Amino acid sequence: MPRLLLALPLALLTTLVQAEDAHHHDEPRHGEALAAHEHGSARLNLALDGDVLEIEFASPAMNLLGFEHAPRSDADRAMLAAARARLEQPLGLFGVPAAAGCQVREHSLHGALFEPAEAGTSEHSEIEARYRLQCSTPDALQGLNLAALFGTFPATQKIQVQLIGPRGQQGLELSPERSGLTF
């Protein structure tokens, strides 16, 4: 009888874990959007802590490439390669002031279109870019100007920004007409 009493909680725990796994199976996986997928809109999270600037940028692939399907032609593959190359250069893309002396310490790009095994698995592909910059003169990092991002990816019409900096947390919306932010 004591073994049965010990086995019962184990069986219940296993059932609960399986139910929880099944529940999470339908939730977004890494690289999938948590928020609504809206063409023309992107999200930007920034955190400035001392001499480190963390940047997370997420956008529908349509804004960056003009398509969301797996590349079907040489032109599609060229667009994907060009977007990747541009996203791998965050200092210019996000208007980081040269006077701040920032260097990219880490960066990563995620999205089904960058991972061929997953390409074409969704009608609404997202691209996420994450960067960690270390700045030798962080006092010179008073803000960013995303004019280059809007110019490089003109289908991006607005960016929802969440910013944590020396003056606390703030949220704002940037557009091609209003592309600057201050920390």
Side-chain angles (χ1 to χ4, degrees), residues 4-176:
L4 180 59
L5 291 176
L6 289 175
L8 185 58
L10 184 59
L12 288 173
L13 180 61
T14 302
T15 303
L16 288 172
V17 168
Q18 289 171 343
E20 187 68 14
D21 284 346
H23 172 72
H24 287 298
H25 181 69
D26 293 335
E27 291 182 2
R29 291 171 290 173
H30 179 70
E32 292 181 340
L34 294 175
H37 182 91
E38 180 183 345
H39 293 176
S41 295
R43 295 177 315 279
L44 179 64
N45 296 319
L46 300 165
L48 178 59
D49 185 18
D51 64 349
V52 175
L53 175 61
E54 301 270 354
I55 302 172
E56 293 182 349
F57 176 70
S59 174
M62 182 65 77
N63 297 349
L64 309 180
L65 304 170
F67 61 88
E68 293 186 313
H69 55 76
R72 297 181 183 147
S73 66
D74 288 341
D76 286 355
R77 285 184 276 287
M79 289 288 291
L80 183 60
R84 170 177 244 146
R86 199 62 184 112
L87 289 167
E88 289 177 342
Q89 302 297 319
L91 298 178
L93 194 62
F94 294 99
V96 178
C102 297
Q103 294 184 340
V104 180
R105 295 295 182 208
E106 297 175 27
H107 80 278
S108 62
L109 299 176
H110 304 280
L113 298 179
F114 291 131
E115 298 153 13
E118 295 182 31
T121 60
S122 172
E123 293 178 26
H124 300 290
S125 297
E126 289 260 324
I127 293 176
E128 293 180 0
R130 295 187 179 130
Y131 312 93
R132 181 182 194 83
L133 310 180
Q134 188 157 15
C135 305
S136 60
T137 313
D139 291 341
L141 191 57
Q142 298 297 312
L144 301 178
N145 190 323
L146 278 61
L149 189 144
F150 285 110
T152 301
F153 303 115
T156 303
Q157 294 300 304
K158 65 181 178 179
I159 300 175
Q160 296 296 324
V161 179
Q162 292 295 316
L163 166 67
I164 300 173
R167 294 186 300 189
Q169 184 173 350
Q170 54 182 305
L172 61 146
E173 183 175 288
L174 299 180
S175 66

